[in-house]
Amino acid sequence: MTAVTKAVFPVAGLGTRFLPATKAMPKELLPIIDKPIVQFAVEEAIAAGITELIFVTGRNKRAVGDHFDANLELESQLLAKGKTELRDLVRNIVPEGVSCIFVRQPEPLGLGHAVLCAAPAVGNNPFAVLLADDLMHGTDLPTSALVAAFKDAQHTILSVSEVPEIDVTKYGILKHGAQDASGLITVQGLVEKPAVEEAPSRMASFGRYIFTPEVFDLLRALKPGSGAEIQLADAIDQLAAQGKVSAIMNPSRRYDCGDKFGYLNAIVDLALANSDYRDWFSALLRDRVAKLERNE
C-alpha cells in the first residue's frame, strides 16, 4: 500500500477575472481577511498528511514562492518589537518537516499540462492535486477524505458534489454508477463542461483529486481538447474507461474564489465563522442591509 505524501498546486494561471488586482499580484495571494487563498489549500494538504508541496508556477508568480519561503528580516524585526505571536505565525506558514518545490509551466497550455509539468517532482508516486481557486471550509475537508479513500482504492479518486442543472456547463461532469457502502462512487466517464442537454448527470468534479502516476503517460499523449488546452478531465475520462476512477462526496463547503461573487461569499462566511470578527461583522451586515431596505 502506497501512502500519499505529495501534492501538486497548479498556480500558473493569469487570474484575468480579477484584473487589475492581478496585474502585479498572483490571484492565489488574494486574501480572505488575512490569509491568501492558496494558503487554505496548503493547510488542507498538510492536515491530510502531505509533506511535499509542489507548486507549478508561471511568469510573475515569484510572490507565491516568497510567501512560503522564510523571511528572516521580517521575523527579526517582529521579534525585536516583541511581536512574538506574529513572528511565529509567519515562521510556521510551512511547518517543520514539510518541503516546497517550485516548477515552471513555460506556456499556459491547460490544467492537464500544468499537472504534467510536475511529473519529475512527483516521480513514481501517487499524488494529490489541489486547485487553490476552490476554497474548502468545514470540519471535514476533502483532501483528508481522498487520502483515506485512496488507502483502499489505490487508484484515481475525485472529490465531487451535485450542482444545479444550470451550472453543469461550468464543470467536469461525471457519468457514474452506484455508491458502495464505503462511500465510493463508480466513475464511468467525465465530460468537460457539457451542454445541459448532453450532461450525463449533475455530479461535478471540483478542484481536489488523487492520482496514480500513470496519469502522466495519458497526459503526454493527449491532444488539445476544450479551449485548445490539454484537459485534465480528458485523462480522467480515459482512466474511467479502464475502470480506474472512483469518487467521493465533498464533505465541506466549497467557494469558487476564481469568481468574484464566490470570493465575496468566502470572505463573508469566513468572517462570520471567525470569533474575532463575528459579532461586529454581523452587526455591520445588518446595518448595511437595513440601510439598503430604507434606500439610504
Side-chain angles (χ1 to χ4, degrees), residues 21-22 24 41 45 49 70 137 168 175 177 181 213 246 258:
T22 50
H137 181 64
V168 299
K175 179 181 179 183
S246 297

Side-chain angles (χ1 to χ4, degrees), residues 13-235:
L14 297 176
T16 54
R17 282 185 284 181
F18 281 87
L19 286 170
T22 50
K23 179 183 178 183
M25 179 177 70
K27 65 174 180 175
E28 294 81 11
L29 295 184
L30 290 171
I32 305 294
I33 308 176
D34 56 359
K35 186 184 294 184
I37 293 169
V38 68
Q39 190 172 330
F40 286 90
V42 164
E43 290 175 356
E44 179 185 334
I46 292 171
I50 302 296
T51 56
E52 191 168 312
L53 314 175
I54 303 164
F55 297 87
V56 181
T57 68
R59 294 188 61 194
N60 302 321
K61 293 297 179 110
R62 180 174 176 178
V64 175
D66 289 343
H67 177 72
F68 291 105
D69 200 0
N71 188 329
L72 299 181
E73 182 180 359
L74 174 60
E75 291 178 22
S76 178
Q77 290 180 7
L78 290 171
L79 193 60
K81 294 178 180 180
K83 299 181 179 181
T84 306
E85 288 188 10
L86 278 178
R87 189 281 308 269
D88 292 344
L89 183 66
V90 170
R91 172 180 287 182
N92 295 325
I93 288 175
V94 177
E96 187 176 352
V98 176
S99 61
C100 297
I101 296 174
F102 296 88
V103 298
R104 185 75 172 262
Q105 183 183 20
E107 297 180 75
L109 298 178
L111 176 58
H113 181 260
V115 171
L116 181 57
C117 289
V122 170
N124 192 33
N125 299 285
F127 63 102
V129 173
L130 295 89
L131 306 186
D133 282 358
D134 288 312
L135 190 154
M136 307 295 182
H137 181 64
T139 303
D140 299 313
L141 297 176
T143 302
S144 290
L146 287 168
V147 168
F150 182 80
K151 288 180 180 178
D152 292 327
Q154 293 289 298
H155 61 222
T156 294
I157 310 282
L158 316 178
S159 180
V160 300
S161 296
E162 192 168 343
V163 298
E165 186 176 89
I166 194 173
D167 288 338
V168 299
T169 59
K170 300 177 182 178
Y171 305 109
I173 301 297
L174 272 64
K175 179 181 179 183
H176 63 86
Q179 185 174 17
D180 67 19
S182 70
L184 278 181
I185 301 167
T186 300
V187 178
Q188 299 163 341
L190 187 70
V191 183
E192 181 69 6
K193 300 178 180 178
V196 171
E197 62 275 11
E198 297 174 357
S201 74
R202 287 171 45 197
M203 200 70 74
S205 172
F206 294 115
R208 299 293 187 273
Y209 320 80
I210 287 183
F211 293 103
T212 57
E214 65 184 319
V215 73
F216 293 130
D217 289 334
L218 297 178
L219 289 170
R220 291 185 186 98
L222 277 181
K223 295 181 179 179
S226 176
E229 296 180 337
I230 303 299
Q231 294 292 343
L232 185 61
D234 291 341

